[in-house]
Amino acid sequence: GAGVSQTPSNKVTEKGKYVELRCDPISGHTALYWYRQSLGQGPEFLIYFQGTGAADDSGLPNDRFFAVRPEGSVSTLKIQRTERGDSAVYLCASSPALLHNEQFFGPGTRLTVL
Amino acid sequence: AQSVAQPEDQVNVAEGNPLTVKCTYSVSGNPYLFWYVQYPNRGLQFLLKYITGDNLVKGSYGFEAEFNKSQTSFHLKKPSALVSDSALYFCAVREQTGANNLFFGTGTRLTVIP
């Protein structure tokens, strides 16, 4: 079946601009996660959705970052007033509801802020 | 607080030899443990997980890992390495009763030499 998809695969923007990154999870997966992976590092948690609601947004670095999942499926990560330090690969993952289930990751969106 | 340590940035092994990629973890409760592999320009792929029960866990592509509670370790192993195993490997942990997100190590680059 189809895996997690993310669009765009690459995004180049200028400092101060607004960007949106999209994630399409595996159909039927109620849990959705956003992570950020910087060069040479492991993925770092940003936000977790269970259904439509953000169950845990403790990983968002500041209020420039926001994410939504209005219908409990597709999610959008929104970054306002981008900074060069936001440059990274943004990963989305989904899983069934049970906590011990593995997360299935998308290919990521590489964001470059000039 | 949860954390994962992968003490080796790079592991080199000759094709056909056994390989080990090390991982130690820290959680306040009981862990769920995962290994993921990342190939260039591709998303993280799930290899195996420890939930409960048998300490030796078998996963995809002939990989296995052993959970050692006293040493808080979850080392990844394979009896005979293939050149195609060359990739970036990440260990991850979550608490069984804690936050839903995964905590990742910084990754170990495995190179299998023909």
Side-chain angles (χ1 to χ4, degrees):
Chain A
V4 177
S5 62
Q6 293 185 246
T7 54
S9 55
N10 281 283
K11 177 70 177 178
V12 180
T13 191
E14 293 179 344
K15 181 175 178 292
K17 298 292 187 183
Y18 168 83
V19 296
E20 290 188 351
L21 312 179
R22 176 187 168 106
C23 172
D24 283 82
I26 293 172
S27 178
H29 282 188
T30 57
L32 185 145
Y33 307 79
W34 284 98
Y35 293 83
R36 179 167 71 174
Q37 186 175 18
S38 300
L39 193 63
Q41 300 295 318
E44 295 179 319
F45 168 72
L46 295 176
I47 187 169
Y48 155 62
F49 287 88
Q50 183 60 253
T52 60
D56 183 354
D57 64 358
S58 61
L60 294 177
N62 51 59
D63 61 5
R64 294 187 298 105
F65 288 75
F66 189 71
V68 296
R69 194 187 186 197
E71 298 178 354
S73 178
V74 171
S75 176
T76 304
L77 178 66
K78 307 179 181 190
I79 310 174
Q80 298 177 321
R81 305 183 303 280
T82 52
E83 299 177 357
R84 292 193 179 88
D86 299 336
S87 297
V89 176
Y90 289 81
L91 298 170
C92 177
S94 70
S95 75
L98 296 177
L99 295 184
H100 60 73
N101 284 310
E102 60 270 27
Q103 297 176 18
F104 295 85
F105 283 80
T109 293
R110 182 175 298 277
L111 176 66
T112 302
V113 182
L114 301 176
Chain B
Q2 302 168 62
S3 65
V4 172
Q6 293 183 243
E8 302 157 318
D9 291 336
Q10 173 82 43
V11 169
N12 296 325
V13 63
E15 185 177 22
N17 282 3
L19 69 87
T20 298
V21 182
K22 296 179 180 177
C23 171
T24 59
Y25 67 90
S26 175
V27 295
S28 55
N30 291 317
Y32 293 140
L33 292 155
F34 302 81
W35 275 101
Y36 284 84
V37 59
Q38 189 172 41
Y39 296 100
N41 300 315
R42 296 178 64 178
L44 289 161
Q45 295 180 30
F46 169 75
L47 276 180
L48 50 78
K49 65 182 178 183
Y50 170 79
I51 302 302
T52 188
D54 194 349
N55 289 344
L56 183 63
V57 177
K58 294 188 182 297
S60 306
Y61 311 119
F63 284 93
E64 60 188 27
E66 185 165 13
F67 171 61
N68 187 316
K69 188 172 184 177
S70 63
Q71 297 185 4
T72 61
S73 68
F74 190 56
H75 301 331
L76 181 70
K77 299 182 180 186
K78 187 173 182 180
S80 178
L82 300 173
V83 173
S84 58
D85 293 330
S86 298
L88 191 55
Y89 290 81
F90 290 95
C91 181
V93 68
R94 77 184 336 168
E95 287 186 5
Q96 293 186 12
T97 57
N100 293 292
N101 55 287
L102 295 172
F103 288 83
F104 284 86
T106 53
T108 298
R109 184 165 300 281
L110 172 68
T111 300
V112 181
I113 303 164

